Amino acid sequence: MPKRYLVTGGTGFIGSALVRRLLRDGHSVRVIDNNSRGVLSRLTGIADSVEFVEADIRDTAAVTAAAAGMDSILHLAYVNGTEFFYKKPELVLDIAVRGMLSVLDACRHNGVGELVLASSSETYQTPPMSPTPEAVPLVVPDIANPRYSYGGGKIACELMAMNYGRTGFERVMIFRPHNVYGPDMGWEHVIPQFAVRAHRAVRQQPRGTLRFPILGDGTQTRAFCHIEDFVDGLALMIDKGEHLGIYHIGNPEELTIAEVATQVVRCFDREAEIVPSEAPRGETNRRCPDITKLRGLGFCPRVAFAQGIGGAVRWYSEHADQAPNTATN
């Protein structure tokens, strides 16, 4: 049955992909975003089918007005990107807490019975087991480290969603994305940084093995999920997930960062000589989701990293001249 959705952060990488999927499935979509990190160009081709509201998620009056007449709010508005965690932790936390309160107030004022919250694998930081299920403890290892402004803000949002959600809502759900990637995903992530770095290195060194610097020794692992698989998983959760349910969304194909760098460089038909360095303080050594709960709803990731990485690298190579300086640090 068609529903009316408000997507906060709908011009972001994940938000815009979700908007496209909702429209494809026959739903009506209203987007609220201030485009501080999102861009309207991500809605190219569907803009006429989407009602767009430009506003800050912390503006309670604007969010409340945007929520009028909606059946569900999908709350994705946040500040992502490791660069921001270290450099603008106050902003990260302000948008997390004030934004979540604005969304909760908007739901209650308008009688919106369904709320879906985008959280993060950063909520559990260094997990006690891997692959990691949803029930592991959520932690902030060091409140003095600004990196944890992101994970700490997401923990606060999860607490508010679960506890406000116990009354006055028909269904509240939380999803934790795990390293979602694809074309136009922003610049402050490992794959865009590696792609731009490789693009520039190839220009400087047309032949031979490329010396490729990375942060850390390369043994750290991550499990990357292609945006197409991710949206399939999220759509399943929205359709079939349980009230107060938490779901990890990702692909449990685990790779070392050195392997990721090697595959990115191979997209340019070159081999890489990995040059390690000191890892950032607070870096997680291993992260891989247990997606048993989502598999129970029918989810099965289809895009292996070796299949999906080429399109992302190609996009960043073609747009490398637009990369901010931080994208190659």
Side-chain angles (χ1 to χ4, degrees):
M1 179 177 178
K3 296 171 69 172
R4 297 162 295 177
Y5 287 99
L6 174 65
V7 180
T8 77
T11 63
F13 169 57
I14 290 177
S16 59
L18 174 59
V19 168
R20 290 179 183 276
R21 176 57 180 264
L22 293 172
L23 290 174
R24 195 186 86 187
D25 290 346
H27 303 294
S28 300
V29 182
R30 181 179 295 160
V31 167
I32 184 169
D33 205 314
N34 67 353
N35 292 322
S36 60
R37 294 193 67 244
V39 289
L40 277 172
S41 62
R42 290 197 176 109
L43 301 181
T44 297
I46 60 169
D48 291 343
S49 302
V50 176
E51 184 180 352
F52 177 71
V53 177
E54 185 171 358
D56 191 305
I57 195 63
R58 295 167 292 182
D59 184 341
T60 301
V63 177
T64 299
M70 296 293 104
D71 299 310
S72 177
I73 296 182
L74 311 180
H75 180 35
L76 284 74
Y78 207 78
V79 175
N80 198 357
T82 307
E83 294 287 336
F84 293 110
F85 309 164
Y86 287 105
K87 294 181 178 179
K88 298 183 178 181
E90 181 179 353
L91 176 66
V92 172
L93 286 165
D94 196 56
I95 289 175
V97 175
R98 295 182 195 273
M100 188 66 193
L101 288 171
S102 289
V103 168
L104 288 165
D105 287 346
C107 286
R108 290 193 164 174
H109 180 86
N110 289 287
V112 179
E114 182 176 275
L115 171 63
V116 176
L117 170 67
S119 185
S120 170
S121 58
E122 295 270 346
T123 56
Y124 60 75
Q125 297 302 327
T126 301
M129 65 189 73
S130 188
T132 306
E134 290 83 355
V136 296
L138 308 187
V139 297
V140 177
D142 178 7
I143 62 170
N145 186 340
R147 176 187 178 88
Y148 300 127
S149 58
Y150 181 83
K154 288 294 191 183
I155 291 172
C157 289
E158 287 202 21
L159 281 168
M160 285 188 278
M162 294 296 284
N163 290 289
Y164 281 64
R166 296 182 195 281
T167 58
F169 286 89
E170 299 164 10
R171 202 166 59 136
V172 172
M173 295 176 291
I174 297 169
F175 66 92
R176 297 180 186 145
H178 284 68
N179 292 94
V180 184
Y181 73 98
D184 196 14
M185 62 182 289
W187 300 98
E188 303 85 8
H189 308 278
V190 65
I191 288 175
Q193 290 177 357
F194 280 5
V196 172
R197 189 175 305 157
H199 170 87
R200 293 177 176 173
V202 167
R203 285 187 167 185
Q204 294 169 1
Q205 183 186 331
R207 291 178 295 277
T209 299
L210 287 182
R211 283 178 54 83
F212 198 84
I214 63 172
L215 294 177
D217 62 9
T219 62
Q220 314 97 308
T221 71
R222 295 293 184 268
F224 293 88
C225 183
H226 192 271
I227 185 64
E228 293 179 8
D229 279 340
F230 176 81
V231 171
D232 284 347
L234 181 52
L236 264 175
M237 190 208 76
I238 293 170
D239 184 40
K240 299 181 179 180
E242 64 181 2
H243 180 46
L244 301 182
I246 301 173
Y247 296 86
H248 284 176
I249 306 180
N251 185 331
E253 178 190 6
E254 193 171 6
L255 301 167
T256 68
I257 294 301
E259 289 170 334
V260 173
T262 298
Q263 291 205 43
V264 168
V265 172
R266 282 178 182 162
C267 291
F268 295 88
D269 295 322
R270 301 287 288 277
E271 293 299 321
E273 176 191 347
I274 303 300
V275 182
S277 65
E278 184 178 354
R281 188 165 60 97
E283 178 78 0
T284 297
N285 287 329
R286 188 180 181 194
R287 184 171 292 139
C288 178
D290 183 334
I291 58 171
T292 301
K293 283 182 67 174
L294 197 60
R295 286 190 189 277
L297 301 183
F299 177 62
C300 182
R302 297 168 295 143
V303 183
F305 187 77
Q307 296 173 302
I309 188 60
V313 170
R314 184 164 50 254
W315 192 93
Y316 281 98
S317 180
E318 292 171 353
H319 295 81
D321 60 329
Q322 301 172 20
N325 291 333
T326 55
T328 57
N329 286 348

